[in-house]
Structures are given as structure tokens and as C-alpha cells.
Amino acid sequence: MKSDWQRALAVLVIAGGLGAGLGAGLAGFAPELRQAGFAPAPQPAAETELLYSIVNLTEDLGARSACPLDLTAARARVEAGLRAHALKPVFSPIAEGPGVMTQEIAAQHIAAASGTVCDWSASAYFNGRRGPLRRDQAGHSYSSLEAASRDVAPLVTAPVR
């Protein structure tokens, strides 16, 4: 005669084996189960939203009129830099304060034989910390904004001390 504890142990071993086998089988058929609608699709990791603004600090009126800020192109560059760090950018023309990244951009007008050349520089500011001053790469307007966004983006995802 077997004792109760031996029967209980045998039942646990069998149940554990069946559970593991069933789990492995379901995991193996997961794509087919999702396709058939029996299992939910995996959800992508949630992106952290980051509110940002762009401020044109060009003081020279000649440079300001010769080099108007193309806000659409500037926003595209900032957002490309932020998305590289899995951040979801949210633009606001008037946002400021803690938790808001402020992109400060300035133009310098350079008269050249080939026409007007605008040399942009940008620096990003977030929670009391300023990134390094970045300048546009030759022939790539607003590339300084993308570089400055990439500099500050790690500060956004870093734990607050």
C-alpha cells in the first residue's frame, strides 16, 4: 500500500510535467494562435512622451530676416533625434519648465558668392541641464537640432536623483 504523501508527490510530478509540456506546446504554436485570434498580439513597449519647444534666439535682425526659421523642418529634425532614443516627441510652441526640453537655436548669416548661407547652431536644455552647443553640418540645415536632441535625450530617460 502506498502512503498518501507518495500519491500526492506522484500527482504533483505528473501535473508539473503536463503543465510544462502544455506551456511549451502553446509557446511553440503562439504565432498560429495569435493569427487565429486565440491569443493576444504582443504589445510594443510604451514610449516615454517628451514635451519640447523650439526658441529662436537669433539677435541680429539681418540674420533673422535672411534666415527665417522653418519650424516644420526644425521640428522634423528634433523629433528624429528624440525618436532615436525611443521617445515620443510632443511639440508645444509655449511650453517651458521642468520636464520640458527647450531647443534654443540661433542663425548666423554668411554672405557667400553662391548666395545666402545660414549657419545654424543649437543647444538643448532639460531640467536645469544644458547640452553642448551644436552647429549644422555643411549642407544639412537644422542638423544641429537633431544632434542637440540626441545629446539631451539620455537625460530624459535617466532616473532622477
Side-chain angles (χ1 to χ4, degrees):
M1 233 198 258
K2 291 188 178 190
S3 66
D4 287 339
W5 70 270
Q6 288 175 331
R7 287 186 190 133
L9 183 61
V11 168
L12 283 175
V13 169
I14 292 171
L18 288 175
L22 181 63
L26 287 176
F29 289 107
E32 288 83 4
L33 292 172
R34 280 190 204 102
Q35 194 173 28
F38 292 117
Q43 298 297 321
E47 291 180 311
T48 301
E49 284 190 352
L50 177 63
L51 189 61
Y52 77 95
S53 63
I54 299 173
V55 179
N56 187 352
L57 297 179
T58 306
E59 293 179 4
D60 179 22
L61 294 178
R64 197 177 266 272
S65 64
C67 303
L69 178 63
D70 180 355
L71 194 56
T72 303
R75 285 180 56 190
R77 287 298 200 141
V78 170
E79 292 177 7
L82 294 175
R83 285 195 182 106
H85 290 280
L87 293 169
K88 183 177 180 183
V90 178
F91 175 73
S92 172
I94 59 172
E96 64 177 80
V100 177
M101 183 183 73
T102 303
Q103 281 279 12
E104 297 174 345
I105 187 166
Q108 183 178 18
H109 178 245
I110 301 168
S114 60
T116 299
V117 176
C118 297
D119 184 30
W120 292 96
S121 61
S123 178
Y125 184 78
F126 181 76
N127 283 348
R129 300 175 97 180
R130 183 175 305 279
L133 181 67
R134 298 293 186 169
R135 297 206 175 276
D136 277 354
Q137 295 174 352
H140 295 89
S141 294
Y142 306 118
S143 60
S144 56
L145 285 167
E146 185 172 344
S149 295
R150 289 177 189 260
D151 291 335
V152 172
L155 299 176
V156 175
T157 56
V160 179
R161 294 181 195 185

